[in-house]
Amino acid sequence: MSNHDLTNVDFSKLPSCGDFDFRIARDGTWFYRGSPIGRKPLVRLFSTVLRRENDGSFWLVTPVERGRITVDDAPFVAVELQVTGAGSAQNLAFRTNVEDWVTVDADHPLRVEQRPGGEPSPYVRVRGALDALIARPVFYQLVDLAESRVSEKGEELGVWSGGAYFPLGMAEAA
């Protein structure tokens, strides 16, 4: 069974092995039993079997079993931005720390949440219910591309990708 065969499986019905001693830190570092996993191909492999349940819990899922893991924020980090086109024809593609590429569109939206203290936390949907936190330098690139637009909330900044406009925040707060 390939990884793609698992995308429509109700993995909550698979036998649970309980909690696996894996943790993904906010910076995208994967840990096993408290030690960082230094082999990128191994991290990449684990990332392909990562799923998120409706309750927000994260699981490593194989065709026959699953185990819960800890994720500090988002499981991935967007570390590179490629821009093609301009204006409403613009496309924004992000590369993650596990070498996935995702283009922002209606199925892979971009959103910005405010952390306590007002610091923005930008995310892009990678696949399923899995997001990538956009690294600060990459977010600064994104802000440089932002256009101003008036909404019901006032003047906001945002970017176009995949034919849709994605707000980044209010102009006065940026």
Side-chain angles (χ1 to χ4, degrees):
M1 180 180 270
S2 76
N3 180 46
H4 297 290
D5 295 329
L6 291 175
T7 56
N8 294 321
V9 170
D10 181 2
F11 64 87
S12 65
K13 304 279 190 246
L14 293 172
S16 173
C17 294
D19 293 340
F20 289 163
D21 195 2
F22 280 84
R23 181 176 73 88
I24 305 174
R26 190 169 199 265
D27 69 359
T29 303
W30 285 59
F31 292 86
Y32 179 64
R33 294 187 173 170
S35 297
I37 301 173
R39 294 181 50 211
K40 279 195 79 138
L42 189 57
V43 169
R44 169 75 181 144
L45 176 65
F46 285 133
S47 78
T48 65
V49 296
L50 182 63
R51 303 290 182 270
R52 188 174 192 184
E53 282 200 5
N54 292 336
D55 67 3
S57 60
F58 292 90
W59 296 78
L60 293 178
V61 180
T62 72
V64 295
E65 63 187 9
R66 67 194 182 110
R68 186 179 12 252
I69 69 167
T70 301
V71 177
D72 292 350
D73 190 340
F76 309 121
V77 177
V79 296
E80 182 181 343
L81 171 64
Q82 286 189 349
V83 182
T84 57
S88 62
Q90 178 173 266
N91 285 303
L92 305 172
F94 291 96
R95 180 177 60 85
T96 71
N97 59 314
V98 294
E99 305 302 323
D100 286 329
W101 279 95
V102 60
T103 299
V104 176
D105 58 20
D107 293 329
H108 304 93
L110 176 71
R111 73 179 196 287
V112 179
E113 297 178 2
Q114 295 300 316
R115 293 178 55 87
E119 180 183 329
S121 286
Y123 301 91
V124 61
R125 180 60 43 101
V126 176
R127 65 177 179 272
L130 301 174
D131 294 331
L133 174 66
I134 300 172
R136 187 179 305 263
V138 178
F139 183 57
Y140 289 155
Q141 287 179 275
L142 200 59
V143 170
D144 283 343
L145 297 169
E147 299 179 4
S148 178
R149 175 168 140 168
V150 177
S151 74
E152 64 276 356
K153 300 176 195 172
E155 186 180 358
E156 67 182 8
L157 296 176
V159 292
W160 287 93
S161 186
Y165 181 82
F166 297 91
L168 298 176
M170 300 310 294
E172 61 272 5

